[in-house]
Amino acid sequence: MLEPMQGEGGIKPGTREYFALARDLADANGALLICDEVQVGMGRSGSLWGHEQLDVKPDVFTSAKALGGGVPIGAMMAAKSVSDTFGPGDHANTYGGNPLACAAGLAVAEYLSEHDVLSNVRARGEQLAVGLADIAGRYFTVLGETRGWGLLRGMVIKDDAGCTAAELVGDAMKEGLLLVAAGPSVVRFVPPLVVKESEVAEALVRFERAIATRVGTTP
Ligand SMILES: Cc1ncc(COP(=O)(O)O)c(C=O)c1O
């Protein structure tokens, strides 16, 4: 079971080679290849599912978080050869398939089908990546690599930066910018998929201000 791009693990995109080998090994050994799309799925990577970025076909993949647009729901999608092994009642769950959560999931799916959200994810994701790389170039003593797909981006904080990712997240919060750490040394950017160009630009200004305050210079 693999995330196409690791979220909590530090925003680490998988590679086509790695996933192709995992697919081959699973096939050779009669194992299932399962992708965890809870964090990277539902359009966040710029494609509907993260595994599309890697051109691999999992036997099963999971989804949650954005699946219900904030209403708690989780789901598992399976290829026919695999789903046939499950019968009604095999996988009991107190809230499974409840009408409210399913209505929320359906509304999200309809919105994604009827609006070109993915183009926005790709364009705003590129804007964010370029902007973060610029800032990293100016503050190279503190900031390292910028990585990720679409609107799930990570900024690496260097080992000898003198601060942790969590501390920088706190600095950004003082500037009115909500971020979240992904492990001890990566600051994670996960804006809404409908974020506007001006909002990404504003976020970059605020992030740079937070870094500048931390290192004691003027941006
Ligand atoms: C990649 C990934 N998988 C699974 C989970 C857990 O999802 P759930 O809380 O819907 O079980 C998370 C939650 O943070 C996650 O980021």
Side-chain angles (χ1 to χ4, degrees):
M1 186 165 185
L2 301 163
E3 283 179 272
M5 175 162 72
Q6 291 180 350
E8 304 305 306
I11 317 300
K12 292 184 184 142
T15 64
R16 283 173 184 242
E17 297 72 31
Y18 188 95
F19 275 73
L21 185 58
R23 179 70 273 176
D24 287 349
L25 282 171
D27 289 343
N29 291 283
L32 297 177
L33 180 67
I34 303 177
C35 284
D36 178 338
E37 294 273 359
V38 169
Q39 194 160 148
V40 74
M42 291 303 288
R44 185 150 290 281
S45 70
S47 51
L48 188 54
W49 304 111
H51 64 260
E52 292 173 70
Q53 302 279 344
L54 299 168
D55 208 15
V56 66
K57 280 205 169 21
D59 301 297
V60 175
F61 64 94
T62 58
S63 180
K65 294 199 195 299
L67 185 62
V71 176
I73 182 172
M76 180 176 77
M77 272 58 75
K80 185 141 180 43
S81 54
V82 181
S83 63
D84 281 353
T85 62
F86 258 31
D90 282 351
H91 185 204
N93 178 301
T94 307
Y95 299 114
N98 82 77
L100 172 66
C102 290
L106 191 57
V108 171
E110 279 171 1
Y111 191 91
L112 284 180
S113 297
E114 288 164 12
H115 300 81
D116 188 14
V117 176
L118 295 183
S119 291
N120 190 60
V121 173
R122 288 191 286 267
R124 301 288 68 80
E126 190 55 28
Q127 180 192 357
L128 183 58
V130 168
L132 289 177
D134 279 354
I135 297 172
R138 285 193 285 280
Y139 293 88
F140 57 86
T141 53
V142 177
L143 304 176
E145 187 193 3
T146 306
R147 57 189 183 220
W149 294 331
L151 285 174
L152 180 49
R153 300 274 167 181
M155 169 68 89
V156 174
I157 311 304
K158 286 188 169 167
D159 287 344
D160 54 359
C163 62
T164 62
E167 284 168 334
L168 275 182
V169 167
D171 294 346
M173 203 178 283
K174 288 188 198 132
E175 298 292 340
L177 176 65
L178 292 180
L179 303 173
V180 61
S185 61
V186 178
V187 174
R188 177 172 23 181
F189 292 74
V190 268
L193 306 189
V194 293
V195 72
K196 297 187 177 73
E197 187 173 1
S198 59
E199 292 166 333
V200 171
E202 179 66 26
L204 288 165
V205 167
R206 291 180 189 218
F207 182 62
E208 181 153 6
R209 223 185 281 145
I211 301 285
T213 305
R214 164 71 55 181
V215 302
T217 60
T218 316

